[in-house]
Amino acid sequence: MTKNQVSHVHVSSNWIQYDIVPTGNSISKQQASLRKKISKHKCSQSHISAENIINRNMPKLIDLQALNGVNMGRVLQTNKSCANIVDHISNEMRLKICNDIIENNRKLCIVVDESTTLSKKTMLVICLRCANDFLKQNLVGFVSDGASNMLGRKAGVGVLLQNIFPDLIIWHCCNHRLELAVSDTIKAVQGLNHLKCFFEKLYSLYHQSPKNMTELNACAASLESSILNIGKIFTIRWVASSIRTVRAVWNNYVALHKYFQESSIDNKRDGKERSKYLGINNMLTSKDFVFNLGMLYDVLNELSDLSLQLQKRDLGLAKAHNMID
């Protein structure tokens, strides 16, 4: 027991039974008596202990569930009892899943992808705990993106696993293949460079300036949420998300043209800024830009549908192959 803890706290029966009676023969004296008793009780050990108990009972979560109409009772209102219940449920679920896998001799497949920490460092953690003999019979697949540390021929994760499990099938994710194909195509087609330049200018112009973003929002409200993603449209991202940015520019083309045209002749801006808007407007109104933007919009519509289909959990390899063809 620490020095901040107490082994026994005495609480007055008057406070327990809500039977606090003021003294005095006038209202002012009775009010002063009540204030004195409340002040004295606030500093008492019993009140401090009660506050500490309340602070440990997740009051905000309890109040939220109560507002939602849930009868919380008195069991789940402490972090310790709640944690014990969560541990019990998770252990039972884990046991049920493991028994189902073993009893039905189910096949297993590992699907992994990399991530980055807050410090921008790449990390990959694979936790696999099972009987080795069981895995040799039931581990059938390893699926990942095309990164060299995943699918490298000499020291990739897939090869290292295949050395332990010889029958393991290594598969390059179909969706990542699609994204790599899109990226390689954009690099090969030189006519898309001016589109890439336009989106990068939009991104740098508005993403880094709240003032410019506010002005653009007043001109084209539906473009605001998509403008934040414009700088990433031509990197390896899901085309299903990239289509939103292209669609926003396409649907707000008239509003963007009006905004850039008015900004290029706005005397409140300096000459350098007016020239920048004039250059963007000239790029936006060129025939090649409009033609390529429309073509890109149509292509991304088709690819986004394929990308969404390839992300379905119940999709088989045969069906995926037919869809890609």
Side-chain angles (χ1 to χ4, degrees):
M1 182 176 295
T2 63
K3 62 181 180 181
N4 294 326
Q5 293 177 315
V6 292
S7 58
H8 179 73
V9 176
H10 174 74
V11 183
S12 172
S13 59
N14 291 337
W15 284 101
I16 296 176
Q17 299 173 6
Y18 308 103
D19 188 21
I20 307 301
V21 179
T23 59
N25 53 10
S26 64
I27 295 179
S28 59
K29 290 182 179 180
Q30 291 176 356
Q31 291 176 342
S33 174
L34 285 175
R35 285 194 293 267
K36 183 177 180 181
K37 290 185 177 183
I38 292 174
S39 177
K40 184 178 179 180
H41 177 73
K42 183 179 180 180
C43 300
S44 66
Q45 187 61 51
S46 60
H47 183 75
I48 295 175
S49 299
E51 284 187 334
N52 292 335
I53 294 173
I54 292 176
N55 292 333
R56 291 196 301 268
N57 289 350
M58 303 174 293
K60 293 182 179 179
L61 294 177
I62 300 298
D63 292 343
L64 175 62
Q65 297 300 333
L67 290 174
N68 290 332
V70 179
N71 183 7
M72 296 300 295
R74 302 186 62 179
V75 178
L76 295 176
Q77 298 191 17
T78 66
N79 56 347
K80 185 175 180 179
S81 61
C82 188
N84 290 336
I85 293 175
V86 171
D87 290 340
H88 172 74
I89 294 175
S90 60
N91 289 333
E92 291 295 321
M93 291 176 65
R94 187 186 301 112
L95 182 62
K96 184 176 180 180
I97 292 174
C98 291
N99 289 335
D100 179 76
I101 293 174
I102 295 173
E103 292 174 0
N104 296 283
N105 201 31
R106 298 189 184 278
K107 302 303 179 183
L108 304 178
C109 179
I110 300 176
V111 182
V112 297
D113 197 3
E114 296 172 78
S115 182
T116 53
T117 62
L118 294 176
S119 59
K120 305 300 182 182
K121 293 182 178 180
T122 303
M123 60 176 293
L124 174 66
V125 178
I126 301 178
C127 297
L128 188 63
R129 184 178 62 180
C130 188
N132 197 48
D133 293 337
F134 181 84
L135 284 181
K136 285 184 177 180
Q137 297 177 3
N138 295 276
L139 184 60
V140 296
F142 174 80
V143 183
S144 178
D145 59 6
S148 58
N149 60 336
M150 292 284 108
L151 302 180
R153 295 182 179 181
K154 295 183 178 180
V157 176
V159 173
L160 296 177
L161 287 174
Q162 202 170 41
N163 292 336
I164 305 174
F165 311 105
D167 297 331
L168 184 69
I169 298 174
I170 301 176
W171 188 258
H172 185 181
C173 172
C174 293
N175 232 324
H176 281 91
R177 288 186 184 185
L178 175 63
E179 300 302 321
L180 291 171
V182 172
S183 179
D184 292 341
T185 303
I186 291 172
K187 293 178 182 178
V189 180
Q190 299 297 324
L192 293 177
N193 286 339
H194 64 292
L195 271 178
K196 183 177 180 179
C197 180
F198 173 80
F199 281 107
E200 288 178 350
K201 284 186 177 180
L202 273 185
Y203 179 80
S204 61
L205 186 63
Y206 295 108
H207 186 71
Q208 301 174 5
S209 173
K211 179 178 179 294
N212 291 340
M213 178 64 76
T214 302
E215 293 178 354
L216 181 62
N217 183 33
C219 182
S222 64
L223 189 64
E224 182 188 15
S225 60
S226 299
I227 203 77
L228 298 176
N229 299 323
I230 281 180
K232 302 176 181 179
I233 189 173
F234 290 118
T235 57
I236 302 176
R237 299 282 175 178
W238 302 129
V239 291
S241 59
S242 299
I243 184 62
R244 290 196 293 266
T245 299
V246 178
R247 184 186 295 117
V249 175
W250 181 266
N251 292 339
N252 293 277
Y253 182 88
V254 175
L256 284 172
H257 168 58
K258 179 182 178 182
Y259 176 73
F260 292 140
Q261 188 178 39
E262 292 177 352
S263 298
S264 64
I265 58 176
D266 187 2
N267 293 327
K268 295 180 181 180
R269 305 179 185 272
D270 56 36
K272 183 178 180 180
E273 194 173 8
R274 290 198 302 269
S275 298
K276 181 187 296 184
Y277 282 107
L278 179 62
I280 295 177
N281 187 57
N282 291 337
M283 186 183 301
L284 182 69
T285 55
S286 67
K287 292 183 179 180
D288 290 338
F289 177 88
V290 176
F291 175 79
N292 289 331
L293 182 65
M295 179 190 66
L296 184 64
Y297 187 21
D298 291 339
V299 170
L300 286 179
N301 264 322
E302 297 291 336
L303 293 178
S304 64
D305 291 339
L306 176 59
S307 177
L308 291 174
Q309 293 296 323
L310 292 177
Q311 294 176 41
K312 290 185 176 180
R313 288 181 173 269
D314 58 347
L315 184 66
L317 294 179
K319 187 177 180 180
H321 179 74
N322 292 333
M323 293 175 61
I324 292 174
D325 288 343

